[in-house]
Amino acid sequence: MKYYLVAGEASGDLHGANLMKALKERDEQAEFRFFGGDLMQAEGGTLVKHYADMAFMGFIEVVLNLNAILKNLKFCKADIAAWQPDVLILIDFPGFNLKIAEFAKNNNLLVCYYISPKVWAWNQKRVLKIKRIVDHLFCILPFEVDFYKAWGMEVDYVGNPLLDAVAAFKPDENFIINNKLPPKKIIALLPGSRKQEISRLLPEMLGVTDQFPNHQFVIAGAPSFTEDYYRQFIIGKDIPVLFNATYDLLNNADAAIVASGTATLETALFNVPQVVVYKGHPVSIGIARLVVKIKFISLVNLIMDKLVVKELIQQDCATENITAELDKIIDNKNYRSRMMGDYDELDVKMGTPGASAKTAALIIKYATKK
């Protein structure tokens, strides 16, 4: 069968790649065409557009880049129409993908949506649109099933694909030596995968480094950027930037400072104590605070429904606050132990790997019944 996938950010590229691998195991004739990234490209098929040209985060950022977004939408619709896939697989990225879903549904294509849009966070009435334009929705967070049921929508709960990625990870036993790192405990810096995130968060993260001389700080570089891009922020500091090694970095880290997003859950799954940070355009944050109806921003806290990891948002995302929290994570044994105990509970809630395999099997089942 012909599968067209649309992923618009780094996490979508990761989950898309694992899903493609699972689809190939079940469908020897699988053909892929996609919007995605390097990981999806490594699975074969045709990369139409890289997510690095698509990821705009925040209300104001979207407005400022509206022309580019509209061009990408037009191009994506035309490409899907020309290729005529057996099934369209949309991965998260709702601002873009819900528009593609509506187009595809109007053109009688089977629409599968992998990783539910976070409609439970704000403007919940969007569920009604999803019911109309999405044929099959695959959810990865346990509480989403009851949420959609309350709106009269049946969904498939497949578990969380991050568990697949972590389970498939093969650690580099010589990570420290291969990267010429000194014999110090490591603090991982994960400033995100979007330019807006990195430019706002990395300077605050780097501001804490002088306060922890006994630790080695290491930046997890996003694959869509070069080392030169990061070097503008770390002039005069001996801080390496490692690409395509985030899991190895977390596997060796004593603590982490993490941009809010998928990486907060990945960090928890590697049992690394963390502080979560986020800083956006002031107007975007102001709008978000008016419309978003959730208590937390990090996936760890949302899934646990309590404050497990500290969230430093906007004006609170300042070097002195990050330093204070990092100090507690490293030196306060009781504080660190509590967080690790909560991580154990999180592991139980998350369940077992297999999301990619379950989703692939269901997509093939639904596509063959079409």
Side-chain angles (χ1 to χ4, degrees):
M1 281 190 291
K2 294 167 67 175
Y3 304 90
Y4 199 111
L5 300 90
V6 183
E9 49 203 342
S11 60
D13 181 37
L14 171 66
H15 302 323
N18 285 330
L19 179 59
M20 289 166 68
K21 187 181 299 181
L23 286 166
K24 286 189 295 183
E25 290 172 357
R26 290 157 180 78
D27 179 5
E28 293 180 357
Q29 305 303 314
E31 295 180 57
F32 298 110
R33 191 171 177 87
F34 51 90
F35 279 42
D38 300 343
L39 297 177
M40 292 172 72
Q41 190 170 29
E43 291 300 324
T46 302
L47 173 63
V48 179
K49 183 171 283 290
H50 200 286
Y51 69 78
D53 300 323
M54 299 172 62
F56 304 108
M57 188 176 187
F59 297 98
I60 295 302
E61 290 81 0
V62 167
V63 170
L64 293 175
N65 293 281
L66 190 57
N67 191 46
I69 294 169
L70 292 174
K71 283 183 178 179
N72 287 337
L73 279 166
K74 183 178 180 181
F75 177 55
C76 187
K77 291 174 183 178
D79 198 57
I80 291 169
W83 202 56
Q84 284 296 302
D86 294 296
V87 56
L88 173 67
I89 304 171
L90 305 171
I91 304 172
D92 203 358
F93 203 51
F96 189 93
N97 274 339
L98 287 177
K99 293 179 176 63
I100 297 300
E102 187 166 26
F103 164 81
K105 188 66 175 175
N106 289 338
N107 285 272
N108 299 312
L109 294 173
L110 181 68
V111 180
C112 290
Y113 208 118
Y114 182 39
I115 306 177
S116 160
K118 297 174 181 62
V119 291
W120 35 265
W122 67 285
N123 193 9
Q124 295 185 356
K125 287 185 178 179
R126 287 181 296 166
V127 174
L128 300 175
K129 181 178 182 180
I130 293 172
K131 283 177 68 175
R132 180 171 53 85
I133 64 176
V134 173
D135 294 300
H136 301 285
L137 180 62
F138 307 104
C139 294
I140 66 169
L141 298 173
F143 61 81
E144 291 178 328
V145 177
D146 289 338
F147 168 78
Y148 281 103
K149 191 173 183 178
W151 282 87
M153 184 175 177
E154 293 297 319
V155 301
D156 288 297
Y157 175 66
V158 294
N160 200 293
L162 280 183
L163 296 173
D164 296 4
V166 173
F169 166 66
K170 293 180 175 57
D172 177 2
E173 302 296 338
N174 297 308
F175 174 77
I176 302 295
I177 295 171
N178 290 343
N179 291 286
K180 299 181 175 62
L181 298 175
K184 294 180 176 181
K185 289 184 176 180
I186 292 172
I187 296 176
L189 302 181
L190 280 67
S193 60
R194 301 177 179 90
K195 183 174 286 188
Q196 297 102 318
E197 290 177 313
I198 297 167
S199 63
R200 291 188 178 117
L201 296 176
L202 191 53
E204 299 294 350
M205 292 181 173
L206 292 170
V208 313
T209 57
D210 292 340
Q211 306 303 314
F212 300 90
N214 295 325
H215 286 75
Q216 174 64 52
F217 287 81
V218 181
I219 298 169
S224 51
F225 295 93
T226 65
E227 185 169 347
D228 285 343
Y229 176 74
Y230 289 92
R231 285 294 158 202
Q232 65 181 303
F233 301 106
I234 51 179
I235 295 171
K237 292 181 181 288
D238 183 22
I239 299 175
V241 183
L242 303 184
F243 295 90
N244 302 311
T246 301
Y247 281 9
D248 272 309
L249 175 56
L250 290 174
N251 195 47
N252 287 273
D254 183 54
I257 309 172
V258 188
S260 177
T262 305
T264 63
L265 184 53
E266 290 174 303
T267 302
L269 292 174
F270 275 92
N271 289 311
V272 180
Q274 64 182 300
V275 51
V276 175
V277 295
Y278 183 76
K279 184 179 283 191
H281 191 286
V283 176
S284 293
I285 293 294
I287 295 171
R289 283 176 168 157
L290 288 174
V291 300
V292 173
K293 306 300 181 186
I294 52 176
K295 293 184 289 185
F296 307 110
I297 63 167
S298 78
L299 283 173
V300 176
N301 294 340
L302 283 167
I303 294 169
M304 291 293 289
D305 196 27
K306 67 177 183 179
L307 188 67
V308 174
V309 295
K310 184 74 171 180
E311 299 177 349
L312 298 175
I313 307 169
Q314 211 58 2
Q315 67 270 20
D316 292 332
C317 177
T319 294
E320 59 269 25
N321 293 335
I322 301 172
T323 300
E325 183 63 19
L326 199 56
D327 194 53
K328 288 165 68 177
I329 286 172
I330 292 170
D331 293 328
N332 187 322
K333 290 183 179 179
N334 289 335
Y335 190 79
R336 186 182 180 95
S337 178
R338 177 198 60 76
M339 190 179 295
M340 299 299 277
D342 286 335
Y343 280 178
D344 289 340
E345 289 184 35
L346 177 68
D347 286 341
V348 174
K349 282 198 172 192
M350 290 292 291
T352 56
S356 302
K358 291 172 191 171
T359 305
L362 287 168
I363 288 173
I364 291 172
K365 173 186 168 184
Y366 295 139
T368 52
K369 282 184 177 180
K370 187 175 67 167

